[in-house]
Amino acid sequence: MAPDRERHPGGSERADALAWGEKLAEVYRDISDRMMRELPFVNEALSVEAIGFRAHQGGAVGVMVTPWFMNVVISALHRTGQSSTGSRMSLRLRFPCGDLEFLPSEVATVGPIASASLFSPMFGFDDMASARAIAEAALAELMSPVDPASHWGGAPRFGGIDRRHLLRAELINERT
C-alpha cells in the first residue's frame, strides 16, 4: 500500500497549514484570556478559531476568527510582492480571486504573518456558527477564480459578491 503522501499529494502541506493555523489560534486564545476579555469591543459570544487553513504560495492561508476581529491571515514566509503604502509596508498577494493587500506583522512564537481585515469589531455576529459560516464563505470566494466579465469598479470581485458587500456583512443577510 502506498504511503498517505503518495496517495494524497500535498497531504503534508495541508497538515502543516492546519497545524500552523492552530498554533496561531493558540496565541490569540492566550491573548484573549489574558488581555481582551474586559475590553468593550470584544464580542463575548465568540471564541478564537482558525478556519480553513491550507497551503498557499509556499505558506499557509486561512481565516482567523477572534471575539474582536476576523482576518484572512497568511504565513509571511516570503516577502515577495511588497509595495509601500505611505509610512507602512504592505504585501500585495495574488489569489485566484485577484490581488489583495495584506499588512505584515510579527506574532510571538509564530513569526511573521500578513493579515487582511474582513470584520472588526465583531458585533455583527450573534454566535460562533454564524462567524464560522462567513469565514468559510469568504475563504471560498478568495480561492475562487474571478470571472473577468463580472469584474467591476476596480474592487476585487469575489465570485457572486464584491469585497465591499462582504465587509458590510450583506452576505450574512443572504445566508440567514
Side-chain angles (χ1 to χ4, degrees):
M1 183 169 223
D4 191 49
R5 279 190 193 162
E6 290 177 25
R7 287 181 297 163
H8 303 288
S12 177
E13 288 178 348
R14 184 175 189 280
D16 290 348
L18 287 170
W20 186 86
E22 188 51 39
K23 184 177 180 181
L24 183 61
E26 282 299 319
V27 171
Y28 284 115
R29 283 185 196 108
D30 181 57
I31 291 168
S32 180
D33 292 343
R34 286 186 306 108
M35 296 184 265
M36 303 301 282
R37 287 286 169 214
E38 303 298 320
L39 297 176
F41 54 83
V42 170
N43 182 342
E44 295 289 334
L46 303 180
S47 59
V48 175
E49 187 173 336
I51 308 289
F53 277 81
R54 63 193 68 187
H56 182 72
Q57 295 182 358
V61 67
V63 176
M64 185 59 56
V65 175
T66 75
W68 62 95
F69 72 77
M70 181 187 300
N71 289 350
V72 176
V73 180
I74 189 163
S75 59
L77 299 175
H78 49 73
R79 298 284 188 188
T80 60
Q82 286 189 34
S83 62
S84 177
T85 55
S87 62
R88 60 185 188 188
M89 296 295 286
S90 68
L91 297 172
R92 183 180 275 303
L93 300 175
R94 176 144 306 181
F95 288 89
C97 71
D99 291 351
L100 296 173
E101 295 277 332
F102 285 75
L103 294 176
S105 62
E106 189 83 19
V107 175
T109 73
V110 175
I113 69 168
S115 302
S117 180
L118 295 175
F119 297 96
S120 183
M122 296 289 285
F123 294 119
F125 298 94
D126 293 331
D127 55 34
M128 201 57 203
S130 62
R132 188 179 302 112
I134 296 303
E136 289 168 351
L139 193 56
E141 294 296 336
L142 183 71
M143 295 304 190
S144 297
V146 69
D147 175 10
S150 67
H151 191 76
W152 60 276
R157 183 91 173 140
F158 294 93
I161 61 171
D162 62 68
R163 189 165 189 238
R164 287 185 190 114
H165 289 100
L166 180 66
L167 293 174
R168 290 184 188 135
E170 291 184 20
L171 183 59
I172 294 171
N173 296 332
E174 292 176 16
R175 300 242 183 223
T176 57

